[in-house]
Every structure is written in C-alpha cells, then in structure tokens.
C-alpha cells in the first residue's frame, strides 16, 4: 500500500514523499517536494495525495490533519499572500506617532510604502500589492500629494512629532544640519538651482534643512533654493519650530558651517542658546595666551575654556590676552563683544589630522616640482610667477592638529565644558537621519518638477523618517534590517477542496524580538 509520509529535511525543512512499506521499512517511491513553511507543507501534502492511485487509501502517519474525505484533484491554489506582520508594525507606528489624525489613507499608504521600498509614487501601488495591501488608486495617491500641500499635512506631522518627542524625552536640546538633493533637470527654476555640491555636480538642486532631537528623531524640515547659503537656512527653521510650539528656551546645536556672526546674534536675540563648531583657523587668536605660555604642547583630553570675538573676522576685540597666563571666564555682562569658546585636544584627532596634512603636503610638493598639474592645492603659493611650498602655513597647520573648537552663549556655571563638547558630538544623530533619508528612504525628489510636488514629497519623507527613527530607536535595528526580517513572514490563504485554509510562516526569533521591543502582539 502506497501512502504519503513526512520526513525531516535540513534546517528545519520537511520532505513530502510517496512511500511503500516493504519488509518492515519505508521505501520512497517519489519525492514530491521540500517545505520550509506551513503553507508550503499544506500545498505539498495536497499534491502528494492527488498523485496517489485513484481509490488507494492514504495514510497520514503523523497527523497532518488535512481533509480526511476526498482528495483534491489538483494542487490547492494560493488565493492571497500578505506580509501582515510588516504592515502591522508600520501601521501601528504610524498611529502611535499620531499621524492618523491626518484622515487620508492614500497619504498613509505612500508614507509606509516608502519605508518598505522607496520608489516612485506610481510604483508604490506595485509595492503595496506585493505585500498584500489593497492600495488606493494611483489617481487618488496623486491627489493626496495635492491635499498634503493644501491642508498643510507637514504642520500636522511636525506637531505630532513634537508631542512624541516631549512624551519620550525632551526638546531642550535640538540638532540642526543641512544637505543638498540634486534633481534630474536641465534648466533651473525658482527652487531648483545650481549651488554648492560636495560631489561637484552641476545639476540643479534643492537645500534641505532638518531639525531633530538629541536622539535623531525629526522635528522640523524645510526646503530652500539650491543656491541658498547653508548659513541662511538655520534661522528660518529654528524660528518656525520655536513659534509653532511656543518654545522660549532651548539649545540649538549645529556644525561649523552654521558659524556666522549674524546667525549667532539672531539666535541670541531670540533668547535661544546655541553650540556651534568653530573653525580651527580661529585657534591661534583664541588660544594666543596658551601658545605664549605653553607653546604647542597639549595633553590628551585637555580642555581650554576661553572667549572668542563675536565678529568672525576676529578684529572687533582681542580674544585672549597673551600677557596673562589664565584664560578669561566668559561673562556676557563683561565680554559683550565676545562669545564663550571651548577648545579640546585629542591625540587621536591629532594623528588623523597629521595624516591628512601629510597627504596635502605631498600633493603640494608634487605641484611645486611640476610633477602634477592641478588646481593650486593647499600649501602652495606663487611668487614671481613660480609655485613654491608655503612652509609658514604648513607649520601653522601642524601646530593646530588635534584641536577642535566650540562656540556657545551658555555660561560655564550652567553647562560645563565637557557637556558642551558632548552635546555637540550628538550631531551624528542628525547626520544619521540624513543618511537614512537619502539611502533607506530615497529622499531625492527625482520624479517631481514643481515646487508644490517637491514640498509634498519631502512631507512624505519627513513622516517616513519619523516612523523609521521611532522603530529604530525602540528596537536597536536599522529600518532596512526590520523590513528584511518582517517582509518574508507571510500569511497565506490556500483553497483546498473548495475550502479556504489560512497558513502563516512561523515568527522568527528576530521578528519576535522586534515585536517585543515595540510592545506589539502579532495578529
């Protein structure tokens, strides 16, 4: 008598075979297939039963529990597949952040589809279909972009993000940075303009400013013309954030690119405190007293708390008095024309800086020797029509290796130097958020051509970034890893003998950990 049997396979799989009992042992007549999930097993068992000779009794040796009466004449088809766990995690995060206050299902689907697989708005329908979600029509999705602008969805998202940040932390310290997003456009317009590009591109681009909390959770986003100077973006974003939420006291942290006299004065006049990076070229003036009394000697981890001129040219007031060994303690009442400056020395940074200077020196020497034709690099000067090495500039740069400066308007008794430095180093969170938006969420608005469409696209990216950061901060896993883990876990409906049967992939240990971290129970 021939019967269907299950046999263990490798890595937890199950073999489905047709076998016959001979001389006290099972003889395999046909290998039907290997199943790795319950759904696959159900299909293979149905197919094996069909292959049995008509009228022959099928024995289920290990109680699979399929139909006991009647054998399907053909394999049961899969009628639906759905990545129910992934959609549940993303949907619950959308709701927990309060984004469901925006009563627009098409907008929500565009936001969540971008997290799953960033692509064009038109292709988002395909992404949703692949995970088993009935999507809105493409026309409805495009209309949601228009609604996002007309109804100011971004303001609602920003308010929800602020409430979440206040509930799960604080916004007493915020981090700001900018990036550029280039576009596939031949001509400039009022928004898309050719500007400074770190990749040396000449394509029109837009400048995007992002404000996040100390953990990298987004709070505010803004879009500017591609040729707008980075220093001119921070004040509009920060003021918009402060006015939107009625904040009168917070610390704004930004890198040295935001260091300008007008920016710092505007922040100070608005009653806001700041910490920004200082340029190493300011060190000789700020640390003039130290260099006179101690030379270029620094100890690893040494911190010097002093003052720096408010005028970034350094001509309005002397920073450090070389006649005095002690550094001045910044007092806004006494040093009205200065800001507080904190300088720190790191031996590790010095090694890195020296390596960079050596490469620059070698390049300069090659140009001076005529071995390399290039634009005039650093440490090359021209005298009487001939290139020569700028020994003085090179020596001065060597003296400053390992130093990093920070400018602030926070008094020392309110924030010690170590805390100033630590707060500034939190900027990596905003840099990480920008990397996430550019890579995981493909923020570049390459399929949009009008300002309204670009702004609506950035609103979707803003919401998607908030969800991604929320999930990432809770689980400790990247959003890419979370999607890769949850997307393959599917719920499958199979029709066998006219009846619908529900099968689901087992939840893996990593998926279980994700659910536990997010405090979600699998449906």
């Amino acid at each position: 008598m021939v019967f269907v049997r299950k046999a263990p396979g490798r890595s937890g799989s199950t073999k489905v075979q047709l076998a016959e009992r001979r001389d006290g042992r099972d003889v395999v007549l046909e290998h039907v297939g290997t199943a790795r999930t319950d759904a696959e097993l159900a299909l293979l068992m149905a197919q094996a039963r069909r292959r049995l000779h008509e009228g022959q009794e099928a024995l289920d040796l290990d109680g699979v529990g399929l139909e006991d009466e009647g054998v399907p004449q053909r394999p049961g088809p899969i009628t639906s597949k759905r990545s129910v766990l992934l959609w549940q995690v993303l949907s619950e995060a959308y709701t927990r952040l309060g984004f469901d206050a925006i009563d627009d299902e098409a907008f929500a689907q565009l936001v969540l589809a971008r997290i799953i697989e960033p692509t064009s708005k038109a292709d988002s329908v395909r992404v949703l279909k692949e995970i088993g979600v009935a999507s809105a029509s493409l026309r409805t999705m495009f209309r949601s972009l228009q609604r996002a602008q007309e109804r100011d969805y971004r303001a609602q998202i920003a308010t929800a993000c602020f409430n979440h940040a206040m509930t799960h932390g604080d916004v007493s310290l915020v981090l700001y940075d900018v990036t550029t997003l280039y576009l596939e456009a031949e001509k400039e317009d009022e928004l898309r303009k050719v500007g400074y590009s770190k990749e040396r591109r000449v394509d029109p681009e837009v400048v995007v400013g992002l404000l996040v909390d100390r953990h990298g959770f987004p709070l505010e986003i803004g879009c500017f013309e591609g040729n707008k100077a980075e220093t001119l973006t921070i004040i509009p974003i920060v003021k918009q954030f402060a006015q939107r939420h009625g904040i009168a006291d917070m610390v704004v942290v930004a890198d040295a690119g935001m260091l300008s006299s007008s920016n710092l004065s505007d922040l100070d006049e608005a009653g806001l405190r700041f910490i920004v990076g200082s340029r190493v070229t300011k060190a000789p003036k700020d640390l003039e007293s130290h260099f006179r009394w101690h030379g270029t000697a620094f100890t690893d981890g040494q911190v010097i708390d002093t003052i720096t001129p408010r005028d970034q040219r350094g001509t309005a007031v002397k920073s450090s008095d070389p006649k005095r060994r002690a550094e001045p303690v910044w007092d806004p009442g006494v040093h009205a024309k200065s800001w507080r400056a904190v300088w720190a020395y790191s031996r590790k940074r010095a090694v890195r800086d020296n390596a960079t200077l050596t490469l620059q020196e070698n390049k300069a020497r090659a140009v001076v020797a005529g071995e390399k034709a290039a634009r005039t690099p650093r440490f090359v000067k021209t005298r009487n029509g001939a290139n020569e090495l700028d020994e003085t500039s090179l020596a001065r740069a060597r003296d400053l290796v390992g130093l990093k400066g920070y400018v602030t308007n926070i008094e020392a008794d309110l924030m010690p130097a170590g805390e100033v430095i630590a707060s500034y180093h939190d900027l990596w969170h905003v840099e990480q958020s920008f990397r996430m938006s550019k890579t995981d969420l493909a923020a570049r608005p390459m399929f949009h051509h009008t300002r309204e469409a670009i702004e609506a696209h950035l609103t979707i990216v803003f919401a998607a970034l908030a969800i991604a950061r929320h999930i990432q901060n809770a689980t400790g896993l990247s959003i890419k890893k979370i999607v890769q883990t949850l997307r393959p876990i599917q719920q499958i409906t199979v029709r066998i003998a006219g009846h619908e049967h529900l099968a689901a992939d087992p939840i893996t240990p990593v998926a279980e950990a994700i659910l536990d971290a997010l405090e979600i129970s699998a449906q």
Side-chain angles (χ1 to χ4, degrees):
M1 179 176 64
V2 180
F3 55 88
V4 180
R5 80 164 197 163
K6 293 195 304 181
R10 296 181 179 179
S11 302
S13 60
T14 304
K15 297 177 181 177
V16 177
Q17 303 166 331
L18 296 182
E20 185 178 29
R21 194 73 173 173
R22 297 178 186 173
D23 300 327
R25 64 187 182 90
D26 295 342
V27 178
V28 177
L29 302 178
E30 181 182 352
H31 177 72
V32 180
T34 301
R36 291 174 176 80
T37 67
D38 291 342
E40 292 177 353
L41 180 60
L43 291 176
L44 289 176
M45 291 298 295
Q47 186 177 3
R49 289 172 182 271
R50 180 180 61 82
R51 292 185 184 182
L52 292 177
H53 296 296
E54 186 176 350
Q56 181 179 15
E57 182 182 2
L59 297 182
D60 187 358
L61 297 184
D62 46 9
V64 174
L66 298 178
E67 291 85 350
D68 293 325
E69 298 180 2
V71 178
Q73 297 304 305
R74 52 186 171 183
I78 296 177
T79 57
S80 68
K81 294 191 294 183
R82 192 164 188 255
S83 298
V84 63
L85 206 57
L86 173 61
W87 192 250
Q88 180 188 358
V89 166
L90 297 181
S91 297
E92 290 203 19
Y94 187 91
T95 300
R96 287 185 181 184
L97 291 177
F99 295 167
D100 57 335
I102 300 173
D103 188 17
D104 191 331
E105 185 177 359
F107 177 80
Q109 289 182 344
L110 283 174
V111 171
L112 301 186
R114 178 151 296 274
I115 298 174
I116 296 169
E117 184 180 331
T119 183
S120 67
K121 306 299 180 295
D123 201 33
S124 294
V125 175
R126 188 264 310 165
V127 174
L128 295 170
K129 182 179 179 181
E130 286 185 356
I131 66 167
V133 174
S135 70
S137 68
L138 184 57
R139 177 173 294 182
T140 302
M141 287 188 169
F142 280 122
R143 285 175 178 168
S144 74
L145 294 178
Q146 184 177 353
R147 291 192 296 271
Q149 286 301 101
E150 293 174 349
R151 303 176 186 177
D152 200 1
Y153 286 177
R154 188 182 298 177
Q156 298 179 59
I157 291 168
T159 299
C161 287
F162 175 78
N163 293 335
H164 174 80
M166 287 291 289
T167 303
H168 296 79
D170 70 87
V171 292
S172 60
L173 183 142
V174 295
L175 316 171
Y176 180 79
D177 203 356
V178 296
T179 191
T180 56
L181 302 175
Y182 75 92
L183 301 102
E184 304 288 349
E186 295 182 358
K187 298 181 179 180
E188 295 179 297
D189 55 31
E190 63 175 9
L191 177 63
R192 300 177 294 174
K193 294 183 179 295
V194 177
Y196 172 74
S197 172
K198 295 178 181 179
E199 294 83 13
R200 301 185 184 279
R201 293 184 177 275
V202 292
D203 306 279
E205 60 188 18
V206 295
V207 176
V208 177
L210 181 65
L211 195 71
V212 305
D213 70 6
R214 65 175 73 233
H215 304 296
F217 186 77
L219 299 170
E220 198 81 32
I221 194 169
C223 183
F224 303 90
E225 296 80 7
N227 61 353
K228 196 173 188 72
E230 292 183 357
T231 55
L232 300 180
T233 65
I234 183 172
I235 299 301
I237 294 289
V238 171
K239 283 189 174 180
Q240 178 175 276
F241 174 75
Q243 292 169 4
R244 189 195 302 278
H245 308 297
I247 299 176
D249 184 24
M250 66 179 180
V251 178
V252 182
V253 182
D255 67 13
M258 301 298 110
L259 183 63
S260 74
S261 300
S262 59
N263 275 349
L264 303 189
S265 295
D266 286 346
L267 290 172
D268 188 63
E269 290 172 6
L272 301 173
R273 291 171 289 176
F274 61 79
I275 300 172
V276 299
S278 183
R279 298 180 179 89
V280 72
T281 53
K282 291 173 60 61
K285 286 292 185 182
D286 290 359
L287 301 177
E288 189 175 2
S289 176
H290 175 90
F291 284 122
R292 176 181 177 179
W293 293 95
H294 305 283
T296 59
F298 294 92
T299 58
D300 189 30
Q302 183 176 355
V303 174
I304 301 174
D305 209 328
T306 184
I307 62 175
T308 189
R310 291 195 180 194
D311 184 343
Q312 297 305 304
R313 293 169 298 178
T315 58
V317 64
K318 293 188 68 175
S319 299
S320 176
D321 185 356
K323 296 179 181 179
R324 303 183 58 143
R325 181 187 292 264
E327 296 290 340
V329 178
W330 183 70
D331 183 332
V334 176
H335 306 101
K337 295 183 179 181
S338 299
W339 300 119
R340 180 185 175 197
V342 175
W343 287 90
Y345 177 85
S346 164
R347 184 176 292 115
K348 184 178 180 180
R349 185 184 296 114
V351 172
R352 185 172 62 248
D353 290 349
N354 263 319
T356 300
L357 286 176
T358 298
L359 291 175
Q360 294 174 335
E361 179 184 356
N362 292 339
K363 184 177 180 180
R365 290 185 181 279
V367 171
V368 171
E371 300 171 359
K372 187 173 184 179
R375 293 179 303 173
T376 304
R378 189 181 182 189
F379 306 129
V380 172
K381 64 181 180 179
T382 303
R383 178 181 295 178
N384 298 326
N387 291 330
E388 63 180 48
L389 187 66
D390 191 344
E391 300 276 5
T392 302
S393 296
L394 179 59
R396 183 167 55 245
R398 293 285 187 190
D399 289 341
L400 303 179
V401 297
L403 287 172
K404 175 64 180 176
Y406 315 86
V407 178
T408 181
N409 63 344
I410 307 174
E411 297 174 55
D413 57 347
L414 295 178
M415 182 178 286
E419 191 175 342
V420 170
I421 297 171
S423 297
Y424 180 86
H425 288 180
D426 280 339
L427 275 175
W428 71 269
H429 287 294
V430 70
E431 293 167 358
Q432 183 187 56
S433 289
F434 265 134
R435 285 195 298 272
M436 288 175 62
S437 64
K438 281 189 167 184
T439 55
D440 297 337
L441 304 177
R444 190 162 67 90
M446 57 187 298
F447 301 107
H448 301 285
H449 309 289
T450 65
R451 181 169 199 138
E452 291 73 20
I454 292 172
E455 292 279 10
H457 168 78
L458 289 178
T459 298
I460 290 173
V461 171
F462 181 37
L465 177 61
I467 294 171
R469 289 295 324 207
H470 165 65
I471 296 175
Q472 202 165 279
N473 290 344
T475 63
L477 299 175
S478 70
I479 191 64
K480 183 177 181 180
K481 173 66 174 178
I482 290 170
V483 172
Q484 289 176 342
T485 299
L486 300 181
R487 188 171 184 174
I489 302 176
Q490 295 185 326
Q491 188 180 81
I492 302 174
T493 303
V494 185
R495 182 179 294 115
I496 300 177
H499 300 284
E500 298 285 349
H501 295 269
L502 196 63
D505 292 319
I507 299 178
T508 63
V510 177
E512 191 72 49
I514 292 172
L515 296 179
D516 290 343
L518 295 170
E519 299 180 349
I520 293 177
S521 299
Q523 293 180 352

